[in-house]
Amino acid sequence: MRKLLKQTEFYLALVILLLSILITMYNPRFLSAENIFDLLKSFSVMGIMAVGVLFVLILGGTPDVSFTAIAQVAEYVVVIMTLRWGGNILLAFLTASLIGGVLGRLNGCLVNMFRVPTIIITIATSNIFFGLLYVFSQGQVIYVIHPLFRRFSEIRIGNLVSQHGVYFGLSLMPLIWLVVLILGWFVLNYTRMGRDIYAIGGSELAAERVGIPVRRTKLFVFTFVGVLAGIAAVVHAAIVQSAIPNSLVGQELDVIAAVFLGGASVFGGAGTILGTFLGILLLAVVNNGLTLLGVSSYWYNIFVGAVIVISITISAVQRIRQKKTRVKVQVDSEGWRV
Amino acid sequence: MSDFLKLVGIKKSFGGVQALKGIELAVGQNEILCLVGENGSGKSTLIKIISGDLKPDSGELWISGRMYKQLRPIQSLNLGIRVIYQDFALFPNLTVAENIAYSQLVETQDRLVNWREIREIAARAVELVQADLDLNEVVGNLSVANQQMTAICRALTRDTRFLILDEPTSALTKKEIDRLLQVVRDLQAKGIAVMFVSHKLNEVLAIAERVAVLRDGELVATLDREEATNERLVELMSGTRVTYSRYEAKPSNEPPLLEVKDLSKRNCFQDISFSLRRGEILGITGLLGSGRTELALALFGIDPADRGQIVVDHQPIKIRTVKDAIKAGIGYVPEDRLTQGLVLKKSVGENIAAVIIDRLRGWLGLIDNRAWNAAVERWIDELAIRVTSPEVKAQTLSGGNQQRVVLAKWLASLPKILILDNATAGIDVAAKSGIHQIIRRMARQGIGIILISDEIPEVVNNCSRILIMRKGRIAAEVETADVTEAEVQQLVELTEPRGKGEGMVASSL
Ligand SMILES: Nc1ncnc2c1ncn2[C@@H]1O[C@H](COP(=O)(O)OP(=O)(O)OP(=O)(O)O)[C@@H](O)[C@H]1O
Ligand SMILES: [Mg+2]
């Protein structure tokens, strides 16, 4: 419990709470179940991708930026495939994950092959994936997609009626997000793979020395990112009911910002699922709040930028402070206190 | 008795540097073999080859009668080989428990993690060496000594057959060292072979059954315990004889360069007053926990004092931050180079130039490359740092050479006052004497030097005056002209905090 006060998650939750109160005071609609369900639904795409980004950031340092391009490719391909051959939603998820997994794995191979920061490699691959998508799709927007996506998106849990007499309920999308969160949490905390990821983030050299399969772990992480991008792609297609080749691109910064916000560090080895969830939630609340208050959405971009700068500063400062306390601890442990 | 390990013709080079030139060496099944050699002689490289961290260029490794051309880390672990590295190789972001248990986790190949099991593994290892470690603490927050203990515990979690310790004692106190040596003997009694690398020849002589001496990548001798003496080893290591000579500062009536009056910091040190003249080397010694390091940290602004006065060159100054200290012309060479003194990922040149960077700016504030190179080259030369070029990363240097880089960094800033806090820990005998020569030369040029050390010969031979600290106070002050090493040793031991002090130091492990 004492640790609670030291944790990023605690402060993040506090900020979200305060913001929510503030927004509700100006516009009570914010706290309505309808609005909240909507919010969760529209942020589940980012939320799912954020889990992958968290894994990469724990692994060490710079983020993967190609996951939106991967999702874009997976989305487009799956939409076209279902249009042509039909199928069901499960198949769509499987195919998208497979495509995502393959592209992610490619990133992993390149990261293992060249000792260059992840961000550099993924900027390159992101351009390649995106470029290829444009070449093949010729930038064509598909407005009518297979009805299976609509059916899927209309599944609702609970049947409530809003003030305006509209029926609504919790969509499946946030539940998929929840499953991904739980999966990520389990992997990070209760599997060797997860602990290996933290260990490599802490010290790659030390990881190699205790015999952790560093390259294999990296390959897994990048594949995982790709798979999640694939899942997010289907969720996205179901939500927007179309396939637009550039609809996701540009969101990677928001996702990365959220993960940093949630306590991931540019130095690697840190970050939690809960923090990541809260990070996304904060972005969602800010985004929604600005809309409800009628403030220009450009402020949201400014906010995201500021978040990145501030989180990086915080992790740098923490690192410095940790070094300082180390000196202190040494003093204490040298037998001075009675 | 058959050999656990036999090395045949092991060679290894890095770029142009031939680090190992055909090593032939055998270690018996439960033998304690010590490996000594100067900085950069290839000790750590040899160890990394045994642990599978590095691939030999040629040669054979025979382990329990089987031949290997090279080992992979996991193979080496499975053969029961455990290494405690000079830089510990711990995970700073994980807890003590997880750090200790990790190699066993890797071995079991389980896909899931059982946290209770992790704690049990760790608790057992901690029990084995009777260390007092908080299993839930994050390793990054631990003191160096506790990190070392964590590394030792980790090495003992699994079926260990051969334990290699690469300079395990450089951050430990006398008591901790004694316990470690005892742990090593106990392990030997359990049938474990041990390879012990250290620059402290007294430890080597205390524990070795055989001593292997490396020089410039060659095995120059292996001596049995009876044949090994301090002088013999030093001679073999360096190829020359090293003798200590005393330093005498020329007496002067100049007013003091640094005056400290009633400096205090709660729980650390009380009412410290002393003065330092130009050209003087002032020794400060005392047991660990006597407050000497804390005093140094306060003078350098890392952990400022609460009360008291500091006067530099007649100017009363306040030292609140490191910047204040640097501005006042104070330099500080820490004991723990790995975390405090050096940026491992940067080049040797960048490390050396770090403090003087502002002075190397020329037109428009750009770095004057010529001045930069000149400064870096000069200090690499002065301290005889063994590098192929200033561009190499500090990481690749041997431990002793890294320490010289830290020293070079501060000497380059031409400080008025230089504080050396156990700065020669982990440096071989010849290099140490080299560094002493440098310190003396700096002193003769007018720098005031504070030399903090727990090696009595070091302070007695290099200083003109010695302060002996105890429980945060100055317990005695002696002129070295009047005393012998034995007398100082006695003073230090006499001033040991009795009773509770012993318990405290032990429990702080
Ligand atoms: N990764 C590397 N790249 C380049 N040179 C290296 C590397 N590792 C070691 N060397 C060089 O090999 C030589 C032997 O280094 P090694 O670390 O084995 O010395 P050591 O005997 O352990 O010294 P110390 O007592 O200072 O720890 C040194 O000249 C060192 O600079
Ligand atoms: Mg070494």
Side-chain angles (χ1 to χ4, degrees), chain B residues 14 17 19 38-45 86 167 199 396 398-400:
Chain B
F14 298 102
V17 189
E38 293 191 345
N39 297 131
S41 57
K43 303 178 299 290
S44 298
T45 307
Q86 219 166 349
E167 287 191 46
H199 287 297
T396 66
S398 73

Side-chain angles (χ1 to χ4, degrees), chain B residues 279-342:
Chain B
E280 190 181 25
I281 306 180
L282 174 69
I284 299 183
T285 187
L287 297 165
L288 203 67
S290 58
R292 29 163 235 214
T293 291
E294 293 75 14
L295 176 63
L297 292 177
L299 288 177
F300 193 56
I302 294 176
D303 252 352
D306 308 328
R307 276 188 296 113
Q309 232 187 338
I310 300 173
V311 181
V312 176
D313 267 344
H314 318 300
Q315 298 279 330
I317 55 162
K318 288 233 176 315
I319 298 182
R320 295 255 145 266
T321 63
V322 174
K323 230 186 202 150
D324 295 341
I326 294 178
K327 214 159 69 192
I330 300 176
Y332 174 67
V333 182
E335 150 180 50
D336 171 17
R337 61 179 171 262
L338 292 180
T339 61
Q340 292 173 19
L342 207 60

Side-chain angles (χ1 to χ4, degrees), chain B residues 17 27 50 61 65 83 169 184 186 188 239 250 261 266 312 338 348 397 413 415 449 483:
Chain B
V17 189
V27 186
I50 300 172
L61 294 108
V83 181
T169 59
V184 167
D186 291 350
Q188 181 198 24
K250 47 177 191 302
K261 285 183 207 143
R266 231 168 64 84
V312 176
L338 292 180
V348 170
L397 260 55
S413 76
I449 289 175
V483 291

Side-chain angles (χ1 to χ4, degrees), chain A residues 115-151:
Chain A
R115 299 197 161 247
V116 217
T118 308
I119 190 162
I120 307 279
I121 285 181
T122 53
I123 284 176
T125 55
S126 149
N127 278 307
I128 294 172
F129 298 155
F130 205 59
L132 286 176
L133 177 64
Y134 253 78
V135 168
F136 286 108
S137 69
Q138 291 170 335
Q140 251 174 13
V141 178
I142 305 174
Y143 288 112
V144 184
I145 65 174
H146 198 281
L148 71 89
F149 290 100
R150 174 176 303 278
R151 264 181 265 128

